[in-house]
Amino acid sequence: GAGGGGGGASPGVAVERVRLLFRLRSYFGGVLCVAWSGDGRCLVAGGEDDLISVVSVALGRVVARAQGHRSWVLDVAFQPTPAAKNSPGANARNSLAADTQYSLPPSPRSYCFASVGADGLLAFWDFSPPAGFHTGPHSPAVHTGPDAGVNGSASDANGAPAADGAPGGAAAAPTPAPCFRAVPLLSPVVAAAVDPQPVSALLYGRAVLLVASTAGHLRTFARAG
């Protein structure tokens, strides 16, 4: 799993072993939201820097940033992808077994995700991964059990494996955010104001997309196609 924090670090962990894989600093301020892609190979994180960081899980580093919000990014979500035939979603009974093994679904040619923020915007993004995006020290392979995370080992700030004896990967220091111009900058495919108040939650379904604002408004959008 992954999580954000007010300190601006977004950790990646292997849930079945509760080990830290890597820690990434935001460009500025705290990390407020994190989402994993359906194939487990891409992670996006937004926060108080008004940006969305696109992370290669295999490499354990930021490979692109998305810029388009004019205030804090409060939630992010990937477009749903078809589940693998042997994934837990395809067989609910098997997913309850602790020793269930399932493969990650194929990686898409591009990752589509949406974001909402304190500026009331709903934005859609498209990221085409560069060569080498899926290969690295933290490359995910096979998930084990319904709550399994991405397999891998802890890394230090330079991407080298951390000492296995460090409990929870404590030796892995946060990797500083790359300079603003050091990675590609994405622009939104579409961005529109959907509420005059901050939009704090986003649910990206297969048929509909729901957003909720701090004013208590819940809006539903039908997905085209």
Side-chain angles (χ1 to χ4, degrees):
S10 176
V13 298
V15 177
E16 72 272 19
R17 298 190 62 184
V18 196
R19 283 205 305 157
L20 183 68
L21 296 182
F22 50 81
R23 298 175 65 197
L24 306 174
R25 288 287 185 189
S26 61
Y27 184 69
F28 172 82
V31 176
L32 303 178
C33 54
V34 178
W36 290 87
S37 62
D39 66 351
R41 294 178 170 91
C42 183
L43 179 137
V44 292
E48 296 175 356
D49 54 10
D50 306 348
L51 301 169
I52 301 169
S53 296
V54 182
V55 177
S56 163
V57 175
L59 298 173
R61 61 180 174 86
V62 175
V63 294
R65 286 196 181 95
Q67 184 181 42
H69 283 281
R70 298 186 294 272
S71 189
W72 294 1
V73 180
L74 300 179
D75 204 2
V76 286
F78 279 93
Q79 175 179 308
T81 54
K85 292 182 179 180
N86 60 338
S87 70
N91 191 328
R93 179 179 300 176
N94 286 343
S95 70
L96 298 177
D99 59 350
T100 299
Q101 291 191 352
Y102 57 95
S103 302
L104 291 167
S107 297
R109 292 184 178 180
S110 65
Y111 293 95
C112 301
F113 57 95
S115 61
V116 292
D119 52 7
L121 286 182
L122 168 63
F124 294 88
W125 312 85
D126 186 275
F127 169 68
S128 298
F133 180 84
H134 299 118
T135 305
H138 310 298
S139 297
V142 177
H143 286 191
T144 303
D147 296 321
V150 176
N151 294 320
S153 56
S155 65
D156 63 18
N158 299 314
D164 217 24
T175 301
C179 297
F180 195 76
R181 293 183 175 85
V183 295
L185 198 63
L186 307 179
S187 297
V189 177
V190 178
V194 294
D195 200 286
Q197 298 297 319
V199 181
S200 56
L202 165 67
L203 180 61
Y204 207 148
R206 298 189 186 280
V208 297
L209 186 145
L210 292 88
V211 298
S213 74
T214 56
H217 302 146
L218 178 64
R219 304 180 190 275
T220 304
F221 300 90
R223 289 186 57 190

